[in-house]
Amino acid sequence: MSDLENLLSEDRRFPPSMEFAQAANAQPGMYAEADTDRLGFWERQARELSWAQDWTQVLDWSGAPFARWFVGGRLNVAVNCLDRHVDAGFGDQVAIHFEGEPGDTRTITYAGLLAEVSQAANALTELGVQAGDRVAIYLPMIPEAAVAMLACARIGAPHSVVFGGFSADALSSRIADADAKVVITADGGYRKGGAFALKPAVDEAVEQCPGVEHVLVVRRTGQEVGWTDKDVWWHDVVGRQPSTHTAVAFDAEHPLFILYTSGTTAKPKGILHTTGGYLTQVTFTHRNVFDLKPDTDVYWCTADVGWVTGHSYVVYGPLANRATQVMYEGTPDTPHQGRWWEIVANYGVTILYTAPTAIRTFMKWGEQLPAEHDLSSLRLLGSVGEPINPEAWMWYRRVIGGDRCPIVDTWWQTETGAIMISPLPGVTATKPGSAMRALPGIGANVVDDQGRPVPDGGGGYLVLDQPWPSMLRGIWGDPERYAQTYWSRFDGIYFAGDGAKKDADGDLWLLGRVDDVMNVSGHRISTTEVESALVSHPAVAEAAVVGADDPMTGQAIVAFVIPRGGAPEETDALIAELRAHVATQIGAIAKPRNVFIVQELPKTRSGKIMRRLLKDVAENREVGDTTTLADGSVMSAISGRLAAGGGTGDES
Ligand code: WTA
C-alpha cells in the first residue's frame, strides 16, 4: 500500500513538445470523436485498410460474449501488409532490416517480402495446407518467422506461433490442442553467442502428434539435424516456388491465429484472433500510439514473435502501416552490453518499443553503455508487458530518450490483441509509471468487488466495459472456458485479471495480476503450470509456487516443495534437478528462481494452499495473518528454512 501512496502522489508531468504535438498523427479531438460515435469511429479506422468486400454491420454483439466485427466484410491480411504498398509504388522501401546475433544482416524490401511470402504461400499450398488448417510455427527471430506468419494469413491457415524457448512438451501440447497439420521450424538460431537447436524439440513433439503431416525446416545455423520422412527443407520447397501468388479475401471473422497463453490452470489457453477487427485495431494503435510516419521512421520493437507483442507490433501493425523496421535475433549482451544501442545508432532507429525488465537490466549495466552511442535519432519510446516503475520510466526518458522523447506505457494482453490503455504521444501529459487512459474507442474502468466503478483515488479490478475490434473471439476448442474465465466475474463485462488504481485525475495505474498468474520479465506463467511441472518429478510429493517481487524481472518464481519420503540427503542436488526439470517441462523462462524444500505447506482447514503467506515469506516480509491455517506452526518452520538461505541449487 505504501507503494500505492507514492504512485498517487506522483506530481511530475511530461507534456509533449509543441513540435511533437503539432506533427502527431493522433490529435486531441480523437477522444471526443470516438465518444460521440464509437462504432462510427471504428468504422472509419477500418476504412484505412483495403477490403475486397464491404461489411453490412460494424458490430454484432447479439451473441455476447462472442463478438463479430465488420460483419460480412472480406479482406486479406497479407495483401494489406504487402501488396497494397507495392501496388502504391513502395516496393523498394525497406520493410525489414534484419540483424542476426552473429552480425549477419539482410535488408528486405516490401517487394522482396511480398515475393518471399508468395513463395511460402505456394509452398504451403503444395504441402496440402488449405484455408482453415492450422500451422504451428516454432522459429527464432529471423525474417522467415514473419514470412511464415504472413504466408499462413495469405492462404487463410491460422497460425499458432510457439515461442522458441518452450520445451518439446510445451510444443507438443500446443500442436496437439490446435491439431496443426504442418510445423514450420529451423535447425536452430543464435542466442547468447552460440547456436541453439530447435529441431530436436520438434522431432520429439511431432512423435507425439501423428496429425502433423509435414515439417518445414529453415536452415539458419547449419548444425546437424535429425531427419524424418515428414521433414522438408524450406530452401528446397519454398525456394523453387513462383514468387507471385493470387490471394483471395477471407471473411472478417475468419480465424487469423491462435496464440497460447497461461491462465490460472495448468492447461494453456489458445487465444483466438480473427481477421478484420484485429487488423483494424493493431493498425490504428500502431499508427497513433507510436506516431508512425512510414516515410521517415525506423521502428524497432524488441519482442519475440512468440509473444503477442511480436504478432501485433512486429508483424501485423507495422507492416500494415508500411513501416521500416529493425528485427534483431539475439540477446542484448552479445557480444557486448551495448549491442542494442549500437543497433539504434547504426540503423537510425526513431521509435523503440521494449519491456520494463529490459530497461531495468540496462539500468543495472550502467548509463555509460548507451552514452557511448549516438541515440539522437530516437523520438519516441514505448513500454509493454508489466507495470513500469517510475524510477525505470525516468531513467528510460533521460538516458535513452535524452529527455526529449515521449514515453508510451501501453497496457494490453494476448486476449485484447492490441493496445487498450496508453498515452497518445502528441496529446497526453504523461506521468512516470501510469499507462494513463483508455485509447479512443476503448472502454476501460476500475471496479470494486461488486463490479461498481470506483471513484477517482480508488483501487480495484481492471475491466473492459465495451467490446473492441481486436478482442479475442474465444479460447480454441473451449467456448465454455472463454465465457467462464473472462465474462463471469462481473456480469457482461470483461475482467482482465489485473488490479488497477485511478488517481485523483482518473488516470490509471496498473498494479499487476490479481489471479494466479505470474509475470516474469513480461512473460505470463501460471503458478499451477509450474506446480504441475514440479509434481511430475518423481521426487516431489507436493508443490506450491508463488510470484515474488523481483527488482529485475518484475516477479520471480519461487517454489516450495515437499519431497517424497522425507528430507533428501542432498538438497542442493535435488533443487538443481527440479529447476532443470521445470525448464524441460515448460521452458527456461519458467525455471524457478528459488526452490525451497519444506516438510509442510500452509493450508486452510479445507486444504487450500495459502499462497499469500508463502508470498510473504518469499518477499522477506513478516508473515501475515495465519489464523485460518490448519496447523499454525507450519509458517515458522518454513520461515526458518528460508532464513537458512539458498534455494537456487547452483547459488546463481
Ligand atoms: C501485464 C502482453 C502493466 C498485465 C502485451 C497483463 C502490463 C499482462 C502492461 C498481459 C503495462 C502488459 N503495464 N502491466 N503497460 N502491459 N501488462 O498477454 O498484467 O503477455 O494482464 O500481453 O501483462 O500479458 P500478455
Side-chain angles (χ1 to χ4, degrees):
M1 274 304 153
S2 65
D3 277 0
L4 253 181
E5 249 108 69
N6 292 341
L7 293 180
L8 293 176
S9 61
E10 175 63 65
D11 53 12
R12 289 171 289 192
R13 299 284 181 282
F14 296 93
S17 68
M18 186 82 87
E19 196 192 350
F20 193 106
Q22 277 169 356
N25 292 346
Q27 294 294 322
M30 207 177 243
Y31 289 102
E33 182 199 338
D35 281 347
T36 314
D37 177 9
R38 218 172 57 83
L39 294 185
F41 173 80
W42 284 120
E43 182 158 40
R44 280 189 294 284
Q45 304 316 322
R47 295 242 177 263
E48 300 279 326
L49 301 174
S50 158
W51 295 75
Q53 187 179 305
D54 227 343
W55 50 90
T56 52
Q57 191 183 358
V58 178
L59 168 66
D60 174 9
W61 192 226
S62 60
F66 297 89
R68 295 197 301 153
W69 281 85
F70 308 112
V71 182
R74 296 181 78 81
L75 75 169
N76 185 291
V77 167
V79 167
N80 273 279
C81 290
L82 303 168
D83 308 55
R84 66 172 172 144
H85 305 319
V86 175
D87 292 346
F90 296 102
D92 292 337
Q93 182 180 328
V94 174
I96 300 176
H97 288 291
F98 170 70
E99 176 144 328
E101 196 186 77
D104 56 318
T105 61
R106 271 178 77 187
T107 308
I108 306 172
T109 62
Y110 272 92
L113 192 57
L114 172 58
E116 270 197 53
V117 168
S118 300
Q119 285 187 304
N122 288 325
L124 289 174
T125 306
E126 185 182 296
L127 293 174
V129 179
Q130 293 178 357
D133 290 342
R134 275 80 60 204
V135 174
I137 298 178
Y138 186 66
L139 283 170
M141 271 303 277
I142 54 175
E144 284 82 357
V147 172
M149 291 162 76
L150 289 160
C152 288
R154 193 169 187 95
I155 62 171
H159 54 70
S160 161
V161 182
V162 179
F163 175 56
F166 277 125
S167 67
D169 279 346
L171 175 63
S172 81
S173 67
R174 285 160 175 76
I175 292 174
D177 187 78
D179 197 11
K181 195 168 178 179
V182 165
V183 181
I184 305 179
T185 188
D187 48 1
Y190 293 99
R191 230 185 102 77
K192 293 189 174 162
F196 66 91
L198 283 174
K199 183 71 170 37
V202 176
D203 293 344
E204 211 182 311
V206 168
E207 239 171 69
Q208 313 294 318
C209 302
V212 173
E213 293 171 13
H214 301 284
V215 179
L216 190 52
V217 189
V218 176
R219 185 150 68 201
R220 167 67 183 139
T221 61
Q223 63 197 286
E224 282 282 325
V225 288
W227 210 250
T228 76
D229 53 7
K230 291 184 176 180
D231 297 337
V232 288
W233 283 112
W234 172 283
H235 56 260
D236 282 343
V237 180
V238 176
R240 65 172 151 74
Q241 302 295 329
S243 56
T244 56
H245 173 269
T246 310
V248 300
F250 294 98
D251 190 272
E253 286 300 335
H254 187 79
L256 178 62
F257 66 84
I258 305 165
L259 182 58
Y260 287 85
T261 188
S262 294
T264 53
T265 70
K267 189 178 188 294
K269 305 175 280 198
I271 302 300
L272 173 65
H273 283 287
T274 60
T275 299
Y278 172 80
L279 196 64
T280 296
Q281 194 175 328
V282 295
T283 307
F284 164 76
T285 49
H286 183 261
R287 185 169 50 240
N288 290 289
V289 172
F290 300 115
D291 193 46
L292 185 90
K293 306 281 196 278
D295 297 328
T296 48
D297 275 319
V298 178
Y299 166 86
W300 182 20
C301 167
T302 65
D304 190 281
V305 288
W307 311 112
V308 74
T309 308
H311 285 60
S312 301
Y313 300 107
V314 173
V315 179
Y316 295 115
L319 295 174
N321 282 324
R322 188 172 47 87
T324 292
Q325 70 176 315
V326 170
M327 184 185 216
Y328 172 58
E329 178 187 31
T331 48
D333 53 353
T334 309
H336 57 80
Q337 295 177 335
R339 184 73 186 266
W340 277 23
W341 316 120
E342 190 176 88
I343 291 174
V344 168
N346 283 348
Y347 294 97
V349 171
T350 58
I351 302 169
L352 178 68
Y353 189 31
T354 192
T357 186
I359 299 165
R360 290 191 296 264
T361 304
F362 294 124
M363 286 173 76
K364 186 180 70 179
W365 290 346
E367 39 189 282
Q368 75 284 355
L369 289 164
E372 284 164 15
H373 301 275
D374 178 7
L375 306 183
S376 62
S377 55
L378 288 171
R379 66 179 197 90
L380 183 136
L381 304 173
S383 173
V384 62
E386 54 178 313
I388 177 165
N389 46 310
E391 202 192 345
W393 196 102
M394 290 301 296
W395 190 91
Y396 196 26
R397 180 178 159 90
R398 180 175 59 81
V399 178
I400 306 304
D403 276 326
R404 76 185 170 271
C405 305
I407 294 182
V408 288
D409 173 11
T410 62
W411 180 90
W412 59 295
Q413 308 177 295
T414 305
E415 292 86 341
T416 69
I419 299 170
M420 304 294 281
I421 302 173
S422 165
L424 284 177
V427 177
T428 314
T430 52
K431 303 173 184 174
S434 170
M436 305 301 292
R437 312 196 151 220
L439 288 175
I442 299 299
N445 213 332
V446 181
V447 300
D448 65 15
D449 257 344
Q450 307 302 312
R452 289 174 304 228
V454 302
D456 289 348
Y461 303 99
L462 181 69
V463 297
L464 301 169
D465 54 15
Q466 298 286 346
W468 63 99
S470 64
M471 66 196 290
L472 73 166
R473 299 304 198 263
I475 294 175
W476 184 257
D478 203 345
E480 202 37 54
R481 188 176 177 196
Y482 165 64
Q484 181 60 35
T485 308
Y486 302 104
W487 301 91
S488 69
R489 179 75 175 77
F490 305 108
D491 198 29
I493 295 178
Y494 176 92
F495 171 46
D498 281 25
K501 193 97 179 169
K502 286 183 196 167
D503 68 15
D505 306 319
D507 293 322
L508 300 172
W509 298 77
L510 275 305
L511 301 175
R513 304 288 306 190
V514 295
D515 53 15
D516 290 336
V517 177
M518 300 173 286
N519 189 330
V520 182
S521 298
H523 301 144
R524 276 164 69 173
I525 300 163
S526 89
T527 52
T528 353
E529 216 174 340
V530 180
E531 284 166 4
S532 55
L534 284 166
V535 295
S536 74
H537 190 282
V540 175
E542 217 179 327
V545 166
V546 296
D549 281 345
D550 183 279
M552 209 49 66
T553 58
Q555 284 192 312
I557 304 175
V558 176
F560 297 84
V561 167
I562 303 179
R564 269 182 207 282
E569 303 257 295
E570 257 300 328
T571 36
D572 275 1
L574 177 61
I575 289 166
E577 193 177 320
L578 292 178
R579 293 179 70 225
H581 179 70
V582 176
T584 14
Q585 291 286 303
I586 306 173
I589 45 164
K591 206 172 177 176
R593 185 188 67 187
N594 312 90
V595 176
F596 294 105
I597 309 293
V598 296
Q599 293 313 311
E600 265 316 326
L601 288 169
K603 288 185 186 160
T604 59
R605 281 170 204 98
S606 61
K608 196 174 180 306
I609 293 174
M610 294 189 69
R611 289 208 182 75
R612 176 174 59 78
L613 299 179
L614 293 173
K615 212 168 137 85
D616 287 343
V617 179
E619 292 176 352
N620 292 318
R621 259 195 315 274
E622 196 165 321
V623 175
D625 184 9
T626 58
T627 48
T628 52
L629 278 181
D631 173 0
S633 67
V634 167
M635 284 318 295
S636 45
I638 292 178
S639 307
R641 173 69 193 85
L642 258 75
T648 57
D650 54 15
E651 299 308 318
S652 65

